Amino acid sequence: MATNTTLKVPLLDLRAQYDTIRAEVDDAVRRVMESCHFIGGPEITGLEEEIARYSRTPHAIACASGTDALLIAMWTLGIGPGDEVISPAYSFFATAGTVSNNGATPVFVDVDPRTYNLDPHRLEAAITPRTKAVVAVSLFGQCCDLPALKAICDKHQLYLIEDAAQSIGSEWEGRRSGSMCDFGTFSFFPSKNLGAAGDGGMILTGNAELAERARLLCNHGAKPKYYHSLVGTNSRLDALQAAILRVKLKHLDRWSEKRAKNAALYNALFEGSRVGRPYHDARTRHIYNQYVVRVPKRDELKKSLAERNVGCEIYYPVPLHLQKCFANLGYKVGDMPHSEAAALETIALPIYPELTEEQIRYVAQTVREFVDQG
Ligand SMILES: *Cc1c(COP(=O)(O)O)cnc(C)c1O
């Protein structure tokens, strides 16, 4: 106990990660600086090919962020004013924000209370004649039930997009996250499992025509240069980011395995406590972008962890249907009980690969002391 009180465990320690790959990252950065090829070029095509292979998808298009990846996927599908797009009520804001950015209307569906992913059983009731697409999220690094969602989308002729911002490398029955829908989208925000040194994103698809159109929209609709067949925008990934991501991609599986190992240790340490452990659907490969537990008195626990130097985060304190900017959609408290409960009762603990066993034991002990005795 006495030694433990000096421990400090951040939610994420990117510096610890950099220390393990410093030489490779520095070489990659130097390579781009020497080449002075900052936009497009071999680092971008190299990363696109490597991500496509990694995710077992024919086409991958680099863009400026995970938000842009969603925005452009919907834009490519022609989603716009008058269309409804179904989104889970519990996710990062961009999942639904990009629906509005395209001029369409988000329609929210409650999540499965165990996985926090869009509940396929609730999907059909939300479909109307205006529904054009569904954007499903593989939240916290666990692939959602895409085959079930896809069957419903096919029946109603809807597009299906997977927001895979948190789930690169996750699998549903052996199929990779990002590869099972009309579009899959990744984010390389620094805190994601594959994080850049800044913003970045990727759009994945199995459809060559959609891929071509998405690629054009990311580059002002120009092909060749200065000949514009579409009105697009500038949404590109920097070659510097691509070079760094190519280095990190080689380590991703090792990091994901370590995260799963850390999760298993937490699970064992929370055995017999009132801490609600994350549910792992046996059909998935979970990559634990987050390790999220359910606890009574969540906000008090957050305060107590901060006092004891344990990093944590609330993903997400307000479900999407209750966000102020969506007030005009007319949702109210009680409409999405599982999303609302998740927003009140869940908390993410440090799960990053470089955690030591001592740190994990300290976090688990600190949480248990509060939850079981507090
Ligand atoms: C991070 C994230 C995004 C947005 O990605 P950015 O790269 O930050 O724009 C979208 N959806 C989900 C579920 C995310 O976690």
Side-chain angles (χ1 to χ4, degrees):
M1 274 290 309
T3 53
N4 274 348
T5 52
T6 63
L7 267 182
K8 197 171 169 176
V9 190
L11 181 66
L12 181 63
D13 189 348
L14 289 175
R15 181 55 196 248
Q17 183 196 66
Y18 178 49
D19 285 342
T20 69
I21 54 171
R22 177 191 295 266
E24 291 169 87
V25 170
D26 291 0
D27 277 353
V29 169
R30 200 172 306 115
R31 191 169 72 222
V32 175
M33 293 311 295
E34 296 288 353
S35 78
C36 290
H37 204 147
F38 299 126
I39 299 288
E43 300 292 350
I44 298 295
T45 51
L47 179 70
E48 286 178 340
E49 283 166 24
E50 286 155 17
I51 295 272
R53 196 176 320 129
Y54 182 81
S55 299
R56 303 176 202 141
T57 310
H59 309 281
I61 301 123
C63 65
S65 69
T67 301
D68 268 13
L70 284 166
L71 191 74
I72 289 161
M74 292 178 208
W75 192 2
T76 303
L77 295 171
I79 290 164
D83 296 330
E84 292 176 354
V85 177
I86 294 172
S87 149
Y90 186 61
S91 178
F92 178 63
F93 179 73
T95 306
T98 50
V99 174
S100 296
N101 291 153
N102 272 296
T105 305
V107 171
F108 296 110
V109 168
D110 208 359
V111 294
D112 180 313
R114 295 178 308 173
T115 61
Y116 309 114
N117 286 332
L118 187 66
D119 187 345
H121 299 106
R122 292 167 199 275
L123 177 57
E124 219 155 8
I127 295 171
T128 77
R130 308 180 90 165
T131 310
K132 184 130 181 193
V134 174
V135 52
V137 183
S138 293
L139 204 68
F140 302 145
Q142 177 162 240
C143 205
C144 57
D145 188 350
L146 292 168
L149 294 168
K150 180 131 196 350
I152 297 166
C153 287
D154 285 349
K155 182 176 153 194
H156 294 270
Q157 293 184 301
L158 307 177
Y159 294 116
L160 179 59
I161 298 167
E162 183 194 7
D163 179 347
Q166 302 183 6
S167 60
I168 185 169
S170 178
E171 293 176 3
W172 182 275
E173 291 179 335
R175 297 175 69 191
R176 282 268 153 106
S177 190
S179 75
M180 289 172 265
C181 302
D182 296 295
F183 279 112
T185 62
F186 291 151
S187 164
F188 304 128
F189 186 82
S191 67
K192 303 292 158 85
N193 282 27
L194 181 63
D199 280 310
M202 191 76 78
I203 305 165
L204 280 77
T205 181
N207 181 313
E209 261 169 64
L210 291 178
E212 172 73 10
R213 198 175 158 82
R215 192 176 288 286
L216 276 173
L217 287 174
C218 289
N219 291 285
H220 288 301
K223 193 186 176 185
K225 210 171 171 182
Y226 306 127
Y227 292 80
H228 303 267
S229 54
L230 292 171
V231 179
T233 187
N234 167 2
S235 181
R236 295 184 289 247
L237 184 70
D238 295 330
L240 266 171
Q241 299 298 351
I244 293 168
L245 289 164
R246 293 178 79 188
V247 168
K248 291 196 177 190
L249 181 60
K250 293 187 196 133
H251 300 276
L252 183 59
D253 279 327
R254 185 167 53 79
W255 290 336
S256 295
E257 295 310 322
K258 189 62 176 23
R259 284 171 179 268
K261 253 190 177 159
N262 292 347
L265 179 54
Y266 273 130
N267 287 344
L269 294 168
F270 289 136
E271 184 87 51
S273 104
R274 286 163 70 208
V275 177
R277 295 174 286 186
Y279 174 78
H280 178 194
D281 188 316
R283 293 168 290 186
T284 72
R285 177 194 188 206
H286 198 325
I287 59 150
Y288 290 98
N289 182 240
Q290 318 294 354
Y291 181 86
V292 174
V293 295
R294 252 185 139 98
V295 292
K297 294 195 264 177
R298 190 267 320 268
D299 292 335
E300 286 96 321
L301 172 64
K302 183 172 191 263
K303 249 182 253 154
S304 162
L305 290 177
E307 281 160 16
R308 301 190 58 186
N309 295 318
V310 172
C312 61
E313 187 57 277
I314 310 295
Y315 301 107
Y316 299 91
V318 181
L320 295 173
H321 67 290
L322 300 179
Q323 293 289 350
K324 192 174 167 191
C325 64
F326 292 138
N328 62 315
L329 299 177
Y331 291 96
K332 57 188 189 313
V333 175
D335 285 346
M336 310 278 156
H338 298 311
S339 299
E340 291 163 29
L344 289 173
E345 297 166 8
T346 64
I347 188 164
L349 302 176
I351 191 70
Y352 61 90
E354 296 80 12
L355 280 171
T356 64
E357 183 172 334
E358 188 191 21
Q359 287 177 310
I360 294 170
R361 287 184 183 277
Y362 175 65
V363 174
Q365 178 193 319
T366 308
V367 172
R368 279 199 73 147
E369 269 169 20
F370 181 88
V371 172
D372 295 339
Q373 292 146 43

